[in-house]
Amino acid sequence: MRSYFPSKSYPSVSLLLACSLTLLLSACADFSGINPQSKLTDGNSLSAGAALSSAANTAWPTSAWWQSYGDPQLDTLVQQAIAGSPNLKIAQARIRQASSLAGVARAATLPKVGAEASSTRGLYSSEYIFPPPLGGSWNWDNEITVKASYDLDLWDKDRSELESALDTVHVSAAEARSAQLNLEVAVVRGYLQLATEYALHDIASSTLTQQTSIANIAQRKLAAGLGTRLELSQAQTALPEARANIEKIDENIALLRNQIAALSGKGPGGGDAIQRPQLAARLVGVDNSTPPAIGLPDNVPAHLIGRRPDVIAQRWRVEAMDKNIDVAKAAFYPDINISAFIGLQALGFTHFLSSSAGVRGAGPAISLPIFEGGRLRANLGAQTAALDAAIESYNNTLVQALQSVADQIIKLKSQQQQRGQSEQALALATQSYDLAKRAYQAGLTANINVIQTQLVLLQQQQRVTQIRAGYLDSWAQLMQALGGGLGDDLPQPANAAASASSAEK
């Protein structure tokens, strides 16, 4: 049997001495010259500007903002994209990963208990501590112990790591919402482009029909001796270009169908099922529907912080980096663990399970960094720089978010004015074309005049279609700039929530 020489122990005194030593050595931690250099931008300090201040007051977007377009097929496509997008599934997997890593960090704050068992047969030296007959013989060395340890975490290192991990979970959740918003906007904008191509297809087909009629008239006039070959050649020249334009539009329609299908995680066959958008009818011809209104919620600069998922994600990243600095500072101080064990030890199996084979013990364990070659200061410097980068990234995201809101308001107001002027020009171009066509059919004008007025009409029809589509596209981007209703229920850091609350007052 092994010989043990127990000594008197005074756990309370030992622990007191350990704590006293720890407090004494903690004064050696040197953080001088390592401080954050960046500061968070307060949303209340950003000027809204004339574009935002003059906008009418409206509510914040809802999470189904695209339903304002009134196209059921679009509603279905957006929902399919949300359900089937690989990018969103990747974002959800990152949330689960961050949550699991937070569980690892939480485990470090709790006591640890483990069990070990071993049984080894070996030859014991007769020239060592074992007297005969044990020395020089073979025997079994058996041991079973249960060990427990607990890190006192006097400097909140483990707790700071846990809080950083939990903040990272919030980052992943906000980034997932941001990815969903980007996906929704991509589907809507692709669908608007598809509707635009169908509207342009209508214009191009109508133009080809009219140009074919003009060419037929020129052919009949030539046969009757009332026209010239030049007039016929001029009329026929426009036909191949018109057909090529229709073919190009058909190509764009097919490509956009594939694009929308891919956003939903489907193959090209999924795009074949997409029908002509109802929105196309509102882009060409008379549009009696009311376009989405131009307006902004109140106090956009301050409230935008709690509405845009990307801004919220950046804010949580700042919180996580700030906790990492606390972890880096705690590394300068000693670690104190309380450990204990209980079990059985014996040579051979005769008395292995008896009370005489019992062993037990408890006490503190202290580890203190004395010389690390500058590693701890370098790590603190790196974490501080990472915090500065996170703060500036947040500031930049906030400024760009506000810019995107202002840009879309300016574009919408301009497109609203452009639409009125372009529709007036379209009415005049239509009138000119009708007059020229009737004059040509009556033999009062040359064919070239009809072709020229027709080209003007085509240009005006295209411009009206593009301006109407541009307005709907800018409105979709405005909904994205305002958060799309996907950041409303996301948790925010306490100080950020307090800032938003003060802005409301």
Side-chain angles (χ1 to χ4, degrees):
M1 299 291 290
R2 292 183 181 178
S3 300
Y4 295 94
F5 303 94
S7 60
K8 293 183 179 180
S9 61
Y10 304 93
S12 59
V13 176
S14 300
L15 182 59
L16 179 61
L17 291 175
C19 292
S20 300
L21 180 62
T22 297
L23 292 174
L24 178 63
L25 293 174
S26 66
C28 300
D30 181 15
F31 308 143
S32 60
I34 307 178
N35 299 299
Q37 301 179 16
S38 299
K39 294 183 178 180
L40 288 168
T41 298
D42 185 359
N44 295 306
S45 67
L46 296 175
S47 173
L52 302 187
S53 301
S54 60
N57 187 264
T58 60
W60 287 94
T62 65
S63 58
W65 55 270
W66 61 84
Q67 293 179 356
S68 298
Y69 290 110
D71 192 322
Q73 182 176 230
L74 174 60
D75 300 342
T76 301
L77 290 173
V78 173
Q79 294 297 338
Q80 289 176 349
I82 294 174
S85 171
N87 288 333
L88 288 191
K89 293 178 181 179
I90 291 173
Q92 294 296 328
R94 287 173 178 165
I95 295 177
R96 296 193 300 272
Q97 181 185 33
S99 298
S100 297
L101 292 176
V104 174
R106 181 179 287 105
T109 66
L110 302 175
K112 301 174 181 62
V113 179
E116 296 180 358
S118 65
S119 181
T120 305
R121 181 171 176 78
L123 174 65
Y124 291 89
S125 171
S126 59
E127 302 296 333
Y128 194 44
I129 62 174
F130 306 104
L134 183 59
S137 66
W138 289 81
N139 211 328
W140 287 94
D141 185 359
N142 304 302
E143 180 178 356
I144 296 178
T145 56
V146 176
K147 299 180 179 180
S149 64
Y150 179 65
D151 188 348
L152 296 180
D153 196 23
L154 297 177
W155 321 113
D156 288 335
K157 178 182 177 181
D158 295 336
R159 185 170 299 278
S160 295
E161 287 182 337
L162 172 59
E163 291 177 353
S164 177
L166 293 174
D167 291 344
T168 302
V169 175
H170 292 311
V171 171
S172 299
E175 287 180 339
R177 292 288 182 86
S178 183
Q180 179 178 336
L181 178 57
N182 292 337
L183 175 65
E184 292 172 358
V185 173
V187 173
V188 170
R189 297 187 68 188
Y191 193 78
L192 290 173
Q193 289 180 334
L194 182 63
T196 302
E197 293 297 331
Y198 270 102
L200 293 177
H201 191 280
D202 292 344
I203 296 172
S205 298
S206 178
T207 300
L208 177 60
T209 300
Q210 294 167 354
Q211 289 175 332
T212 301
S213 298
I214 292 173
N216 292 337
I217 293 172
Q219 179 69 49
R220 290 196 297 270
K221 289 181 66 176
L222 178 63
L226 300 176
T228 65
R229 291 189 177 275
L230 176 60
E231 291 177 339
L232 177 60
S233 177
Q234 289 175 332
Q236 292 176 335
T237 298
L239 298 180
E241 183 179 356
R243 295 189 184 100
N245 185 40
I246 293 175
E247 179 60 33
K248 178 61 178 177
I249 293 173
D250 288 337
E251 174 191 345
N252 293 339
I253 289 174
L255 293 176
L256 286 168
R257 282 175 166 173
N258 290 346
Q259 174 185 322
I260 295 173
L263 290 172
S264 302
K266 298 179 180 179
D272 295 340
I274 300 177
Q275 302 299 315
R276 174 190 173 93
Q278 294 183 11
L279 283 169
R282 295 167 51 186
L283 301 179
V284 62
V286 179
D287 181 15
N288 295 322
S289 62
T290 302
I294 304 174
L296 291 176
D298 62 331
N299 204 353
V300 167
H303 291 176
L304 199 63
I305 296 173
R307 299 284 182 168
R308 279 188 52 140
D310 56 341
V311 176
I312 297 174
Q314 293 293 349
R315 189 65 182 85
W316 276 115
R317 184 170 284 109
V318 170
E319 292 296 312
M321 294 298 102
D322 188 53
K323 299 300 189 305
N324 287 343
I325 289 183
D326 294 336
V327 174
K329 287 183 177 179
F332 283 78
Y333 301 112
D335 279 337
I336 300 180
N337 296 327
I338 301 298
S339 60
F341 68 91
I342 185 171
L344 299 172
Q345 290 179 335
L347 293 175
F349 294 97
T350 304
H351 302 287
F352 179 48
L353 299 179
S354 66
S355 60
S356 61
V359 294
R360 63 188 61 85
I366 303 176
S367 62
L368 172 67
I370 297 177
F371 179 73
E372 295 282 344
R375 181 183 66 85
L376 297 179
R377 283 182 58 84
N379 179 56
L380 178 58
Q383 297 300 332
T384 303
L387 173 61
D388 287 336
I391 290 174
E392 296 302 339
S393 180
Y394 167 82
N395 294 341
N396 183 59
T397 302
L398 180 57
V399 171
Q400 288 187 343
L402 193 60
Q403 176 195 346
S404 63
V405 174
D407 288 349
Q408 300 313 316
I409 289 294
I410 292 172
K411 288 170 63 176
L412 284 167
K413 290 183 176 179
S414 176
Q415 289 163 345
Q416 191 177 54
Q417 297 297 321
Q418 293 177 50
R419 175 171 176 170
Q421 297 297 326
S422 63
E423 289 183 351
Q424 183 179 356
L426 176 60
L428 293 174
T430 302
Q431 181 181 359
S432 297
Y433 174 70
D434 291 339
L435 291 173
K437 188 168 63 172
R438 287 197 296 268
Y440 176 75
Q441 292 172 349
L444 301 177
T445 187
N447 184 50
I448 189 63
N449 293 329
V450 178
I451 295 175
Q452 289 175 343
T453 55
Q454 184 185 35
L455 291 176
V456 172
L457 174 61
L458 174 62
Q459 293 172 353
Q460 291 302 323
Q461 287 177 329
Q462 289 179 333
R463 179 160 180 76
V464 168
T465 298
Q466 291 166 349
I467 289 177
R468 290 176 178 176
Y471 184 93
L472 298 179
D473 182 76
S474 296
W475 191 80
Q477 294 183 71
L478 176 61
M479 295 299 100
Q480 181 181 25
L482 293 174
L486 293 181
D488 301 0
D489 60 344
L490 287 173
Q492 297 185 62
N495 51 359
S499 299
S501 177
S502 63
E504 292 178 0
K505 298 178 181 178

